[in-house]
Amino acid sequence: MKLRYLSTASVMAGFVIGSFSSFGCGGGGGSSSGGGGGGNGTGSRVTVSVSGARSQNVPVEIDPARSKINTPFSQDLAPGGPITLYASEGVADRQFQHWLLNGQVLSTQPTLQTTTPAGDFSLTAVYTPRACGPNGFTPNFAGELDPQDGQPNKLYWWHDFPIRVYFDETQSLVDRSVIEQIRAGFDTWHEATGVLGAYELTTDAASADITVRFTHQPEGNGVAFTDLVFFTGDNTLDKATITFIVPRISADAFTRVGAHEFGHALGLEGHSNVPADVMSIPSGLLPLTARDINTLASGYCAYYNRGRHAAPRPAAITEHRATGTAHISCPGSGITGD
Ligand SMILES: [Zn+2]
C-alpha cells in the first residue's frame, strides 16, 4: 500500500471523543478497506479509509505521526497508546457523517481521539452528499430577505461550467484596464470555490451565456444591475446580462462591483444584510466571505449531487421550457462621490 505524506499542517479544531468502549451504536453503512498486511504480533495495525466521497484519495491526518496521508492507508501503532484522527468536515460536495470502527459507528465528530485497541482494526470516515436547500452550506444568507426590496433571496444555477462570457465593447465606453479589473472580480468566485464560476471569453454575442455591457444611462441610485433568464422547472440559468453604469463607479471599484454582479450572474438573486459580505448593498470589500461563498454553493446543490461531469444540457429540451426573469438592481457600492 502506497503512502503519501503531505506537509500541510492541520488547522482543524480538536474535539475530544470518548474511548471505544463508550460507543456501542450499531448499524452504520459504508465500507472499510481490507487488512493492510496484518500486524507484527505485538502491535496494532490500523487501516484508515474513506467512504461516500467521490474519491478514495482523501487526506486524513493521524497522530502520533502528525501527518496528513491520502486514504486508504495503514499504520502500525502501539496498543493502548493514544490515537487521534482528523478528517475534514467537508470533501468537495460531501459532508462528514461519522467514523466507523470495524464497520460500527464510533463517533459523529470528524476529529477522533481515542485509545489504540489491540490487534488489527479499521477506521472509516463516512461522507454523504450535502443536503439541498438553504442550509446546504452554512453560514449563508440564502434564507434571508433582500434588504433592497424586502423579498426573499432566490438561488439559480448554471448547468455546466465553464460558461461563456461576452464583453460588449461596441460603444467603447471603457478601456481594457477596466475590463481587466472587472474580470479580476469575476475570477474571485472560481478562486474561492475551485468549482463554480469558471468561464471563458467569447466574441460571439449570440452564443454567450453572460453578456457584459456598459452604459452612461443612470438607473435610480444604482451602480450596476444584472438581469437573469432562468428555467422555472429546475431554476437553471439560460442567460444573464450584467450592466455597469460607468460614470457611477469609481476607478478603483470595478473589481469589487464586478465580483458583486458576477455573484448575481452566477445565480444569486437578492442581497446580504451583513455589510462585510460582497453581496451586501453597498457591497463589502473583497475577499468574498464565507457567507457569500456558501450562499452561492447552496444554489448549486443539484449540480454537486449530480456530479460535475454530466452530459451537456440538450438544447432541444431547453427550447421548450418555461422561463422566468429577474432584474437585480445594485445601489451604493463603489459610487463615485458616494
Ligand atoms: Zn446587487
Side-chain angles (χ1 to χ4, degrees):
M1 190 165 293
K2 189 175 182 179
L3 303 186
R4 280 196 286 169
Y5 294 87
L6 306 178
S7 59
T8 313
S10 170
V11 292
M12 302 194 66
F15 292 94
V16 177
I17 308 304
S19 67
F20 285 124
S21 57
S22 305
F23 292 86
C25 318
S31 63
S32 55
S33 68
N40 56 16
T42 58
S44 298
R45 188 172 179 81
V46 61
T47 300
V48 180
S49 62
V50 164
S51 169
R54 293 200 184 283
S55 165
Q56 261 292 312
N57 301 320
V58 175
V60 169
E61 184 172 341
I62 184 167
D63 254 346
R66 202 67 191 179
S67 299
K68 255 187 179 178
I69 306 175
N70 275 7
T71 53
F73 65 87
S74 296
Q75 191 161 103
D76 293 321
L77 299 163
I83 175 175
T84 307
L85 289 130
Y86 306 85
S88 297
E89 289 193 35
V91 176
D93 57 326
R94 303 303 166 104
Q95 62 189 2
F96 176 85
Q97 203 68 22
H98 49 232
W99 277 107
L100 299 177
L101 169 64
N102 294 330
Q104 302 289 308
V105 175
L106 177 63
S107 167
T108 57
Q109 297 293 334
T111 296
L112 177 69
Q113 185 174 56
T114 188
T115 303
T116 304
D120 296 352
F121 61 103
S122 69
L123 288 168
T124 306
V126 178
Y127 289 82
T128 58
R130 294 177 192 273
C132 288
N135 293 321
F137 299 80
T138 56
N140 70 54
F141 51 86
E144 297 177 2
L145 302 180
D146 183 351
Q148 165 84 335
D149 58 11
Q151 297 299 305
N153 290 331
K154 294 177 185 167
L155 301 175
Y156 308 98
W157 55 289
W158 290 100
H159 188 272
D160 294 294
F161 291 105
I163 47 178
R164 294 177 298 272
V165 173
Y166 169 69
F167 279 86
D168 182 355
E169 300 175 75
T170 51
Q171 292 182 282
S172 301
L173 294 180
V174 295
D175 61 29
R176 269 279 139 197
S177 66
V178 167
I179 289 176
E180 291 310 311
Q181 285 183 60
I182 291 169
R183 289 192 60 196
F186 286 8
D187 292 343
T188 57
W189 290 98
H190 189 248
E191 289 163 3
T193 65
V195 179
L196 308 176
Y199 67 91
E200 55 193 27
L201 296 179
T202 179
T203 54
D204 175 25
S207 70
D209 298 306
I210 295 177
T211 297
V212 181
R213 51 187 292 273
F214 303 91
T215 182
H216 279 184
Q217 195 72 37
E219 179 187 280
N221 60 347
V223 294
F225 54 89
T226 295
D227 291 280
L228 304 178
V229 179
F230 56 89
F231 297 106
T232 54
D234 61 3
N235 287 336
T236 51
L237 289 159
D238 183 33
K239 297 281 181 188
T241 304
I242 298 171
T243 304
F244 292 95
I245 303 169
V246 176
R248 303 217 67 198
I249 305 173
S250 57
D252 61 352
F254 277 100
T255 297
R256 175 161 54 103
V257 176
H260 179 105
E261 296 308 316
F262 203 56
H264 291 314
L266 291 176
L268 303 182
E269 181 192 353
H271 292 102
S272 163
N273 285 285
V274 173
D277 294 339
V278 170
M279 295 311 296
S280 67
I281 44 172
S283 74
L285 299 176
L286 287 164
L288 299 168
T289 67
R291 279 165 52 88
D292 289 319
I293 296 162
N294 287 335
T295 304
L296 182 74
S298 293
Y300 282 82
C301 178
Y303 175 91
Y304 281 126
N305 287 348
R306 178 202 64 188
R308 296 173 196 163
H309 305 292
R313 183 177 56 200
I317 294 175
T318 67
E319 287 168 6
H320 303 290
R321 296 163 69 197
T323 58
T325 61
H327 177 76
I328 309 152
S329 185
C330 307
S333 61
I335 290 183
T336 301
D338 185 31

